[in-house]
Amino acid sequence: MPLIVLWDIDHTLIDNSGVSKEIYAAAFTALAGRAPVRPARTEGRTDRLIIAGMFHDHGLEPPAWEDALAALEAAGAGREADLNRRGRVLPGVRQALEAVAEEDGMVSSVLTGNIAANARVKLGAFGLDALLDLGVGAYGADSADRAALVDVARSRVRAVYDLPDDTAVVLVGDTPRDVDAALTSGAHIVAVASGVNSEDELRQAGAHLVLPDLSDVDALMAHLRELARP
């Protein structure tokens, strides 16, 4: 049976070492005409919610999404060198992505709060983009609601790969919002404690499987193969 595997990016696949916060600050500055005095609140939120939240935190009316999208794209463009110099791929990630990409019947893409352009920048900085089908992923511009992104990706994958309607979906993420998105949408969740949330917090949120990070590729693949069984 096929399996759709959707990966979060920040703190699941990579550590961006503050570059994300700088992108949000630059976008806010371009939109508001002044620098922010409070940093963006991220923690698994989508870009739509992050930008709106920044404006609310500063007592301002959020801009039209089309304007925010353009500002985010401009702020993220060309940041590959900064990411590569300051950031890193998290333990086991490259090997895990390679293993899933090589597995018959598994379709590997992303489910991320980042807009598509900035997701490509972050993954491309480390050469991870070649291991994923980014054309069928779901991104922060698709919905403010992370759970709604699951159906976006599900529909895109099914359309391109001609998969059955009951094809299982598994999210791999690092926050309780990832867990909630999976449980709300009927997907499976593998949670990794490579972000700010502990293994206990992710278990309490309801994750089906919790790993300290993605170093144990054999354990991850055994779990994914079990999910793909008819």
Side-chain angles (χ1 to χ4, degrees), residues 119-221:
R120 291 180 183 276
V121 167
K122 290 179 178 182
L123 295 169
F126 303 101
L128 300 179
D129 51 334
L131 299 172
L132 296 153
D133 185 349
L134 299 180
V136 295
Y139 302 93
D142 292 317
S143 176
D145 178 13
R146 198 174 191 93
L149 296 181
V150 179
D151 279 337
V152 171
R154 205 184 252 135
S155 297
R156 287 174 177 163
V157 172
R158 287 173 179 166
V160 171
Y161 289 88
D162 193 27
L163 299 183
D165 288 347
D166 61 350
T167 299
V169 178
V170 57
L171 272 58
V172 185
D174 67 286
T175 72
R177 282 189 172 84
D178 294 305
V179 177
D180 181 69
L183 299 179
T184 300
S185 62
H188 195 87
I189 176 70
V190 173
V192 289
S194 46
V196 298
N197 295 105
S198 68
E199 293 182 54
D200 283 345
E201 288 172 325
L202 295 169
R203 287 192 189 94
Q204 290 170 11
H208 299 114
L209 173 67
V210 179
L211 301 171
D213 55 32
L214 291 168
S215 296
D216 193 343
V217 177
D218 289 341
L220 174 68
M221 292 307 297

